[in-house]
């Protein structure tokens, strides 16, 4: 069993993840606690190269199963090289997206279903977050917050894709009640931060006793 603490942040594109990740980093910095911050797809040199291929706007012919396997391949490297060793050293790992993104985007959005959990089982083994913050926001609102010219290959998908992704997240929230903390992301940045900080305080009490 790992001694560290593994926190992931999930949600539709434009739901405010990056904004709240900055707040989460600040929370730990204010307490003088070192964290390992990482992201998916990416987080390792190999993973960042896979990321370039997956998100490239010119790769529009990519088969959906290829896409799911590339995310899982990047994740496998990430778990082996960064996440598992850090947790074994007792560190706090904060990850911008993890396996729930694949279940929501490839399983529900691309409609690949259970195959996604199966291939990701090979990638992560038993390495699952202790807590996942899920930023809950209507994906149509989230996408309006992102400039059209900055959108990557996934973000450019139509509304029905993003709605299916969001429904996937809501299913995951119901299924993993103990792990996934739903956050109403339609509120102000400050209100959301207060919610997240409260949960982080609880988590730290659990870790430090
Ligand atoms: P994500 O990382 O989930 O794609 P960002 O944190 O980059 O989302 O936010 C997308 C855009 O929405 C940014 O311009 C950000 O300033 C803005 N934003 C973030 N949180 C909120 C919020 N609670 N209310 C309104 N706008 C927000
Ligand atoms: P990212 O650039 O981190 O976007 P954001 O700032 O919105 O989080 O994520 C890249 C895109 O990859 C995003 O649209 C979600 C998608 N994605 C998947 O489809 N499956 C996955 O397993 C992961 C990790 C991300």
């Amino acid at each position: 069993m790992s001694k560290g603490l593994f926190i992931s942040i999930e949600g539709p594109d434009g739901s405010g993840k990056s904004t709240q990740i900055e707040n989460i980093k600040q929370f730990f910095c204010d307490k003088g606690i070192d964290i390992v911050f990482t992201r998916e797809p990416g987080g390792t040199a190999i993973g960042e190269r896979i990321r370039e291929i997956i998100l490239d706007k010119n790769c529009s012919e990519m088969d959906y199963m290829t896409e799911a396997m590339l995310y899982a391949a990047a994740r496998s490297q990430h778990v082996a090289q960064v996440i598992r060793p850090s947790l074994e050293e007792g560190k706090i790992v904060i990850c911008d997206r993890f396996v729930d993104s694949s279940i929501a985007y490839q399983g529900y959005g691309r409609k690949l279903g259970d195959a996604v959990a199966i291939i990701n089982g090979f990638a992560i083994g038993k390495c699952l977050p202790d807590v996942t913050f899920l930023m809950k926001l209507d994906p149509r609102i989230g996408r309006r917050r992102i400039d059209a010219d900055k959108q990557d290959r996934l973000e450019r998908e139509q509304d029905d894709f993003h709605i299916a992704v969001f429904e996937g997240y809501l299913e995951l929230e119901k299924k993993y009640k103990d792990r996934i903390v739903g956050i109403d992301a339609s509120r102000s940045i400050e209100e959301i931060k207060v919610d997240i900080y409260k949960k982080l305080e609880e988590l730290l009490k659990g870790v430090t006793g």
Side-chain angles (χ1 to χ4, degrees), residues 58-193:
N58 299 316
C59 287
S60 56
E61 78 275 26
M62 191 183 293
D63 174 72
Y64 292 166
M65 188 56 83
T66 307
E67 177 185 287
M69 287 180 159
L70 285 175
Y71 278 116
R75 182 164 300 124
S76 178
Q77 185 66 27
H78 195 200
V79 168
Q81 195 181 337
V82 177
I83 300 177
R84 189 175 292 128
S86 301
L87 292 173
E88 282 170 359
E89 283 173 34
K91 292 181 177 158
I92 296 177
V93 177
I94 314 280
C95 192
D96 181 354
R97 297 191 179 279
F98 193 60
V99 66
D100 298 312
S101 281
S102 279
I103 307 286
Y105 281 78
Q106 282 65 55
Y108 285 81
R110 299 303 198 201
K111 310 205 184 308
L112 294 179
D114 294 344
V116 179
I118 294 168
I119 57 175
N120 274 281
F122 294 114
I124 67 174
K126 291 192 163 54
C127 185
L128 265 179
D130 297 292
V131 174
T132 298
F133 289 110
L134 172 58
M135 304 293 287
K136 291 163 67 176
L137 182 73
D138 183 324
R140 287 162 290 205
I141 299 174
R143 289 178 73 214
R144 257 183 258 136
R145 290 178 179 173
I146 308 172
D147 287 346
D149 60 343
K150 285 198 199 138
Q151 290 179 353
D152 61 41
R153 196 173 59 82
L154 275 285
E155 286 166 345
R156 283 175 173 226
E157 286 295 334
Q158 298 305 307
D159 274 353
D160 55 356
F161 170 79
H162 290 282
I163 290 165
V165 169
F166 190 49
E167 281 166 3
Y169 272 130
L170 298 182
E171 288 296 320
L172 284 167
E173 185 192 20
K174 269 193 251 162
K175 192 167 169 188
Y176 299 105
K177 287 194 189 74
D178 291 346
R179 170 171 68 86
I180 300 184
V181 179
I183 303 283
D184 174 1
S186 66
R187 296 168 301 160
S188 73
I189 292 172
E190 196 53 36
E191 281 172 302
I192 298 168
K193 172 181 153 179

Side-chain angles (χ1 to χ4, degrees), residues 21-37:
I21 283 166
E22 287 313 306
N23 286 333
I24 292 173
K25 287 181 181 167
Q26 194 59 50
F27 173 91
F28 287 105
C29 180
D30 290 346
K31 292 189 180 300
I33 298 173
D34 282 338
I35 58 155
V36 175
F37 172 72

